Amino acid sequence: MLNQSTHHRLRHFCPSNGKHACRQPIRWHYYLPMALQFGLTPNTAPASEEQLANILADPGFCDYYTDHMALATWKDGEGWFDDGIVPFAPFQLHPAAAVLHYGQEIFEGMKAYRWADDSIWLFRPEENAKRFNQSARRMMLPQIPTADFMTAVERLVATDSRWVPQGAGEQTLYIRPIMFASEAYLGVRAAKVCTFCVIAAPAAMYFSKDGVKPVDIWITDEYARAGIGGTGSAKCGGNYAASLIAQYEGYEQDCAQVLFIEASNKDRVEEFGGMNLFVLKDGKLLTPALTGTILDGITRRSIIQVAADLGIPTAECRITPDDLYSFVQDGSITEAFSCGTAAVITPVNAFKTKQAQYQLAQPLGAVTMAIRERLVGIQFGHVEDTHSWMQRVV
Ligand SMILES: *Cc1c(COP(=O)(O)O)cnc(C)c1O
């Protein structure tokens, strides 16, 4: 076996004409980009079985992190190197690291599910890899090949598989890949040194650990999270920073989430701070169309498919705030829910604005719950996975 640094050096010494006398096992380096291995450096002080049992008995939402993390570094002109699964530890970051100043950063959110037979699965992980690279492009961060992204996630989950909870109460291992500008440089340009990292943490249900509970939604007409041409469709930390003030406005109204309206014309509802929106109008499932200002959620896309499988008609369209209010009021919109990886599907009880409150007729609606049950069923292996969405890791 070659160690990581040998691997790295060989990439630069092997000329592309194939004449160089590389040793036999690495001949493929002549014509294939080097796949990252994410070799393991074991944590010599992992959580004890007793500590882990206590954590898994009440994991909260990402209150504890696993024993390891995946790490790789990228340098302009060199590509990715120093990849590995290493002991979980804080970063040493230069105070001039560009991410701390200019927010050049992206992330992903995905989950590992333990099935009844103890096998462990990911849900549509390549979609996360693809979106990660789309976000990277928008934020001038480097691309990471899908295969390398997948190796990092799979090897981390396999290494820390004892941290994946039993599926009771929809508990999962939440996985968080990130990439950020780690170069120490205060000039404004795309960083020439970046860090890729994947961490993981056991997670109970996001909003409520005692089952699905409808939540109230605050609709802000003052703050926006994204605008046309902005970063709304990239999964970057800045979008979340921009959404927090409205989130806290919502908390003051006893609302768990905030729904944002398109910023310039205020003529379409878009999405929540970190989740997409669906409403059920006259038996048809509607979701705001992707306009570049909305995050293209994998849960959103999967729900459109699951609804079709259940024979529920769906449409991606424009939903104006006035339509939303009047259709909830006249009873043609009966159900609404938010969706995303972290909270799966959370039903809406009521929409609140500064002026009024709009109570849903069926806050724990039958259609919402049927879609939820089918999607979660696929993820935990209780429902047949007809679209080959699940990928086995262990
Ligand atoms: C991550 C995210 C979502 C949900 O995407 P999923 O792929 O379903 O997890 C929705 N909106 C925003 C702003 C997000 O960041």
Side-chain angles (χ1 to χ4, degrees), residues 107 109 131 225 235 240 271-276 295 297-300 339-341:
F107 67 97
R131 187 171 65 190
R225 63 172 285 282
K235 211 166 172 71
Y240 281 70
E271 65 164 322
F272 302 92
M275 284 180 283
N276 295 112
L295 205 282
I298 296 160
T299 316
R300 173 188 178 280
C339 71
T341 298

Side-chain angles (χ1 to χ4, degrees), residues 59-175:
F61 185 84
C62 302
D63 290 347
Y64 308 91
Y65 292 87
T66 68
D67 296 318
H68 299 87
M69 61 189 193
L71 208 54
T73 305
W74 175 91
K75 266 193 189 138
D76 189 27
E78 293 186 33
W80 292 101
F81 61 96
D82 276 356
D83 51 299
I85 304 292
V86 300
F88 186 94
F91 292 122
Q92 284 267 3
L93 210 52
H94 194 289
V99 65
L100 301 177
H101 301 266
Y102 309 124
Q104 197 190 357
E105 182 269 354
I106 57 166
F107 67 97
E108 268 302 323
M110 48 208 295
K111 283 176 171 174
Y113 305 83
R114 188 185 291 278
W115 286 10
D117 66 358
D118 260 350
S119 57
I120 296 171
W121 301 72
L122 299 169
F123 178 73
R124 308 186 75 177
E126 271 108 0
E127 298 299 318
N128 294 96
K130 227 191 288 174
R131 187 171 65 190
F132 196 62
N133 279 319
Q134 284 162 2
S135 300
R137 191 168 296 117
R138 177 64 181 81
M139 306 305 287
M140 292 292 285
L141 286 162
Q143 299 288 296
I144 182 161
T146 296
D148 294 334
F149 179 99
M150 294 296 301
T151 302
V153 170
E154 285 173 0
R155 293 218 60 185
L156 179 63
V157 172
T159 303
D160 285 339
S161 63
R162 66 189 188 119
W163 287 80
V164 183
Q166 301 294 334
E170 294 178 18
Q171 293 189 1
T172 58
L173 185 73
Y174 187 75
I175 303 161

